[in-house]
Amino acid sequence: MDQGDRTLLSSSFGAAAVAYAEHRPDYARTAVRWALKSAPGLRVLDLGAGTGKLTAALVALGADVVAVEPDPAMLTELRRALPGVRALPGSAEAIPLPDGAVDAVLAGNALHWFDMAVAGPEMARVLAPGGVLAGLWNVMDDGVEWVAGLARVSGSAAIGPRDTPTGWRAETAGMHLPGTGTAALFGSPEQAEFPHGQRRTADSLVATLATRAGMLVMPEPEREATLGRIRAYLASRPETADAEFTLPMQTCVLRARRS
């Protein structure tokens, strides 16, 4: 993905900030704990924090959190949901914190939007020695047959290459964090996956998929046609046709330590 496409897609969420806050899933607590396991302390930056889905999980685990988010509408939703959290405007490429201010930098469904040539040194700058950088992604478990069918029907704009476990592993395996000169900023990354799930109805799952970046930038006729196919598929499946169900998911984590 070139920088122009990345900017277009990453800037699309603000228009759907309220729906994003309502429908996007939280993160498996076991995954968040693993992300922080080797951090030297619990001063945590949630970078690209969105509406605060990961921020809330960090607060629940007792972390001292500062959230940074570039989109004003997303930041408004975060502040409304978590008024006690320090929440600042800013980006991964220009983090509004001093050097060594945090023990961990976490990014929930956001690390792939960053310009790592600039953001890598910025994240390293705000980390204390031995600090941890971790990206977390909620993905759909397409090892479950009906979820695999949903992925086929939905298309890559709704369920993309990082949105299933196998695709996530492949997409992030090469996400090596940059060095400065000959000195690497971070050590070798580790990957791990943790079971997760989200209670949904067919309508709320359609609403969730409608908040994906590829869907938000899609021309309206194509978007409605795609959502219509998804609705029809969910109505045809006994697992999802009636009442609530649990959407099988995993929270996947890519973790690296500051050199």
Side-chain angles (χ1 to χ4, degrees):
M1 184 188 303
D2 65 29
Q3 187 58 43
D5 289 341
R6 183 183 294 114
T7 300
L8 173 66
L9 290 167
S10 65
S11 63
S12 66
F13 296 112
V18 174
Y20 193 107
E22 180 178 357
H23 295 295
R24 285 294 186 105
D26 61 3
Y27 293 84
R29 296 290 174 85
T30 52
V32 181
R33 289 190 189 98
W34 187 83
L36 295 173
K37 186 175 181 181
S38 59
L42 283 177
R43 299 175 302 161
V44 183
L45 166 61
D46 183 3
L47 189 56
T51 62
K53 297 290 184 176
L54 179 56
T55 313
L58 290 164
V59 169
L61 291 176
D64 177 13
V65 188
V66 57
V68 169
E69 166 57 38
D71 188 280
M74 301 287 270
L75 192 61
T76 295
E77 288 299 314
L78 189 156
R79 287 169 169 162
R80 181 192 59 77
L82 299 164
V85 170
R86 184 184 177 202
L88 306 174
S91 69
E93 296 77 19
I95 301 171
L97 294 177
D99 296 359
V102 295
D103 302 302
V105 175
L106 270 59
N109 279 79
L111 196 64
H112 53 280
W113 298 127
F114 301 163
D115 178 358
M116 292 303 293
V118 181
E122 266 293 271
M123 292 185 286
R125 178 185 66 78
V126 301
L127 277 168
V132 167
L133 167 63
L136 295 87
W137 288 263
N138 280 320
V139 306
M140 296 187 182
D141 188 354
D142 63 346
V144 178
E145 192 273 333
W146 76 261
V147 179
L150 176 64
R152 290 191 295 270
V153 167
S154 300
S156 61
I159 302 178
R162 284 178 302 274
D163 296 330
T164 59
T166 300
W168 173 82
R169 290 184 207 107
E171 286 287 312
T172 60
M175 195 179 280
H176 298 298
L177 303 174
T180 297
T182 58
L185 294 175
F186 296 93
S188 298
E190 306 170 84
Q191 292 176 310
E193 301 98 36
F194 301 86
H196 196 29
Q198 184 186 29
R199 293 297 290 172
R200 297 280 77 184
T201 63
D203 286 343
S204 66
L205 180 50
V206 170
T208 301
L209 294 175
T211 68
R212 298 296 178 92
M215 297 296 294
L216 292 171
V217 301
M218 188 179 284
E220 189 63 24
E222 185 180 353
R223 183 174 185 269
E224 286 306 313
T226 300
L227 294 176
R229 289 197 308 273
I230 295 170
R231 287 190 190 96
Y233 175 81
L234 295 174
S236 75
R237 295 293 309 206
E239 300 92 342
T240 58
D242 299 311
E244 284 193 336
F245 55 88
T246 297
L247 174 64
M249 301 175 64
Q250 295 182 23
T251 297
C252 300
V253 187
L254 180 73
R255 181 180 72 182
R257 192 177 185 122
R258 173 76 164 91
S259 297

